[in-house]
């Protein structure tokens, strides 16, 4: 039987999130000793634990069929792979930062400046598009200390909260791009492995849809049902069940997580009571 090989980061937050996603997809993995590879117990998939910046190369070469990593690594390595799904976690921005006492006006500030980064290709492409000439100092780690030791005038790095920049006397001045975890694949998957990948993608999308939506239950007077239904379209339309109390019904529907606070205010104004919001584990449209 064919096995789909998936490369994930061997340690760190992205690794944990990747394994959590597989678990939420119902895939059982045993890797208690943190070996370099593990085989799923109930799905034809083998997990390879690798450095994230090596994953694009391994997927391009077919050592791994698919991989989970940040978009930033895909862009920087520029390998011949397909980005097949954005996964919605490990979000960050890639930003330019300068010493906090410097006065910043616009991108022209960087003309002729030295900038330290672990992502020279992304940075070079950005400044080339903006017709600004810079000197790029490529370093593999601890980018944020480059200005304090005199290596560079500015830095370009991944930013999540910005606290690391502040601790090193820097301020964020320009967001170049945003990145999140993605699923990439080899461009020449076998037909058998494509079938396995399609099954995995089906599960991933069901998990992601569940996280983006909430199940809502409420009680309302029958006289308000039409107006409430216009606010709660649901997947097709709300489910309406009569209550024991005369002229009242219970409505069940699905709403997007980003919208439910605004929708709840409308529902209350229309007379809805006993509103319950319940997480959805998986959702298949």
């Amino acid at each position: 039987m064919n096995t789909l090989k998936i490369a994930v980061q061997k340690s760190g937050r992205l690794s944990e999130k990747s394994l959590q996603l597989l678990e939420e997809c119902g895939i059982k993995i045993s890797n208690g000793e943190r070996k370099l590879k593990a085989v799923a117990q109930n799905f034809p998939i083998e997990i390879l634990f690798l450095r994230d910046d090596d994953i694009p190369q391994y997927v391009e070469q077919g050592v791994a069929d698919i991989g989970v990593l940040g978009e930033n690594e895909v862009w920087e390595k520029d390998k011949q792979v397909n980005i097949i799904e954005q996964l919605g976690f490990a979000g960050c921005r890639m930003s330019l930062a300068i010493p906090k006492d410097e006065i910043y006006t616009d991108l022209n500030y960087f003309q002729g400046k030295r900038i330290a980064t672990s992502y020279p290709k992304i940075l070079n492409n950005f400044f080339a598009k903006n017709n600004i000439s810079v000197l790029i100092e490529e370093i593999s780690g601890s980018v944020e200390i480059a200005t304090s030791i005199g290596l560079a005038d500015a830095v370009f790095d991944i930013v999540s909260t910005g606290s690391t920049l502040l601790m090193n006397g820097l301020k964020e001045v320009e967001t170049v791009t945003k990145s999140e975890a993605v699923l990439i694949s080899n461009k020449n998957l076998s037909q058998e492995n494509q079938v396995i990948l399609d099954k995995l993608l089906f599960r991933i999308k069901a998990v992601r849809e569940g996280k983006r939506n909430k199940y809502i239950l409420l009680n309302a007077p029958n006289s308000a049902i039409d107006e409430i239904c216009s606010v709660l379209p649901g997947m097709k339309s709300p489910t309406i069940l009569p209550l024991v109390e005369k002229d009242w019904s219970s409505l069940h529907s699905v709403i997007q997580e980003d919208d439910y606070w605004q929708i709840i205010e409308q529902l209350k104004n229309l007379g809805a009571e006993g509103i319950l919001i319940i997480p959805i584990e998986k959702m298949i449209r």
Side-chain angles (χ1 to χ4, degrees):
M1 183 177 180
N2 271 56
T3 300
L4 188 73
K5 294 181 180 179
I6 176 171
V8 303
Q9 190 176 21
K10 63 182 179 180
S11 62
R13 183 168 171 266
L14 185 55
S15 174
E16 293 169 3
K17 289 286 187 179
S18 301
L19 294 176
Q20 180 183 339
L21 175 62
L22 293 176
E23 183 181 344
E24 290 170 340
C25 289
I27 299 172
K28 296 180 180 179
I29 302 160
S30 177
N31 191 39
E33 298 177 5
R34 206 59 174 173
K35 299 175 182 176
L36 294 180
K37 67 178 182 177
V39 178
Q41 300 170 22
N42 59 344
F43 194 82
I45 195 169
E46 180 178 323
I47 297 91
L48 307 179
F49 296 94
L50 305 170
R51 283 171 51 96
D52 59 344
D53 53 356
D54 288 336
I55 291 175
Q57 178 180 343
Y58 282 123
V59 172
E60 180 188 57
Q61 294 175 342
V63 175
D65 301 303
I66 61 175
V68 178
L69 72 167
E71 281 176 295
N72 54 295
E73 291 294 347
V74 181
W75 299 327
E76 184 62 30
K77 298 304 178 184
D78 197 24
K79 300 296 184 180
Q80 293 299 305
V81 297
N82 291 327
I83 295 179
I84 54 176
E85 186 76 14
Q86 292 188 308
L87 299 176
F89 59 81
C92 64
R93 56 193 182 274
M94 303 188 75
S95 296
L96 288 156
I98 64 175
K100 61 181 181 181
D101 295 330
E102 287 282 311
I103 297 173
Y104 183 75
T105 51
D106 55 32
L107 275 179
N108 289 313
Y109 168 91
F110 294 102
Q111 183 70 41
K113 294 284 198 301
R114 290 177 301 155
I115 306 174
T117 185
S118 300
Y119 300 96
K121 184 169 289 187
I122 296 173
L123 186 60
N124 186 64
N125 289 343
F126 172 74
F127 278 117
K129 288 178 183 176
N130 286 279
N131 297 313
I132 293 173
S133 176
V134 298
L135 301 172
I136 296 176
E137 296 285 352
E138 182 179 356
I139 55 179
S140 59
S142 301
V143 172
E144 61 277 355
I145 69 169
T147 58
S148 63
I149 63 175
L151 178 64
D153 304 303
V155 303
F156 172 62
D157 203 9
I158 291 173
V159 179
S160 294
T161 63
S163 60
T164 303
L165 294 178
L166 291 173
M167 287 170 57
N168 286 276
L170 299 169
K171 61 182 178 183
E172 186 179 357
V173 293
E174 289 283 346
T175 297
V176 171
T177 187
K178 293 183 179 179
S179 170
E180 67 177 88
V182 292
L183 187 66
I184 63 171
S185 77
N186 179 274
K187 289 195 169 186
N188 298 298
L189 282 183
S190 67
Q191 185 175 354
E192 293 84 356
N193 280 345
Q194 184 63 53
V195 170
I196 299 171
L197 175 57
D198 290 342
K199 291 179 180 179
L200 177 61
L201 284 171
F202 176 82
R203 296 188 184 197
I204 288 173
K205 289 174 181 177
V207 169
R208 292 206 63 206
E209 278 292 298
K211 289 183 176 181
R212 281 195 291 255
N213 293 275
K214 300 290 183 185
Y215 192 75
I216 183 169
L217 301 87
L218 60 90
N219 299 328
N222 290 344
S223 58
I225 285 178
D226 287 344
E227 285 185 280
I228 288 175
C229 286
S230 68
V231 175
L232 285 179
M235 294 174 73
K236 283 195 175 179
S237 64
T239 299
I240 303 172
L241 301 171
L243 294 179
V244 172
E245 186 172 346
K246 186 179 179 182
D247 297 327
W248 277 74
S249 295
S250 173
L251 279 73
H252 300 203
S253 189
V254 173
I255 57 175
Q256 290 192 358
E257 184 174 23
D258 291 342
D259 298 336
Y260 70 80
W261 286 115
Q262 179 182 352
I263 288 175
I264 285 172
E265 288 298 321
Q266 296 179 54
L267 295 174
K268 288 182 66 177
N269 291 337
L270 291 171
E273 298 179 0
I275 302 171
L276 300 178
I277 305 294
I278 302 172
I280 299 173
E281 186 174 316
K282 297 171 184 68
M283 179 173 164
I284 299 165
R285 290 187 181 274

